[in-house]
Amino acid sequence: DTACPNAAMGATFDMDMDLASFDKAVSLMECSASDAYDEKSCTGSTPVLSAQTSKDNPKEFIFSPSASFSLLSNHWYKITLISLENFGVKSVGGGKLDSDTVSSWHFRVKNDPSNCALDHVNIFPSSATVYWIGDYADYLALPFGAPDECSPLTGQMLVADGYNWNWTAADTKVA
């Protein structure tokens, strides 16, 4: 009951997963705004347009629907991962998920339409060194809200596209 309307959606696996296998194999369904979750109330399906790894970790993935999509307050949602023999989410070794065809879970967005405020940003990697002129290092910035009931240790990861990002450096000769 405490997911932020601007919370990121994702999954953590116990093995390295094949990023390309997530294409068209993850869906998000809007369900009712009732007090209890009712799978029969889930309608439509919003294809998740992208999956990306968090922290360049092939076990952790963030799912992003289209930029125009937003979670409605006080609604339940169901995320489904399809994993068939010849299609869907697979490990880097080609193995499908343990379930026969799908794995799913549900969550409820808090009963407040306002987005959760940005509390902190985790940057991965924390530092990098490049050795050639013109070389570069990729960084990933993950925004988080304040710790809350939904995520008491780190706070909820928030959708990164909702912020205007700007890079600055104290020493522009090295950054």
Side-chain angles (χ1 to χ4, degrees), residues 24-74:
K24 298 181 183 150
V26 182
S27 68
L28 175 67
M29 295 178 77
E30 181 182 319
C31 308
S32 69
S34 61
D35 288 337
Y37 174 71
D38 177 10
E39 186 168 8
K40 293 176 186 149
S41 74
C42 301
T43 59
S45 181
T46 300
V48 173
L49 297 181
S50 68
Q52 69 181 38
T53 59
S54 67
K55 304 182 276 187
D56 288 328
N57 180 346
K59 292 180 177 149
E60 294 181 6
F61 291 83
I62 303 165
F63 307 130
S64 301
S66 69
S68 63
F69 182 84
S70 60
L71 298 174
L72 300 174
S73 63
N74 202 37

Side-chain angles (χ1 to χ4, degrees), residues 120-144:
H120 61 280
V121 177
N122 290 350
I123 307 291
F124 299 98
S126 58
S127 67
T129 303
V130 294
Y131 298 97
W132 300 277
I133 294 174
D135 201 3
Y136 64 93
D138 286 326
Y139 283 88
L140 177 64
L142 300 175
F144 287 84

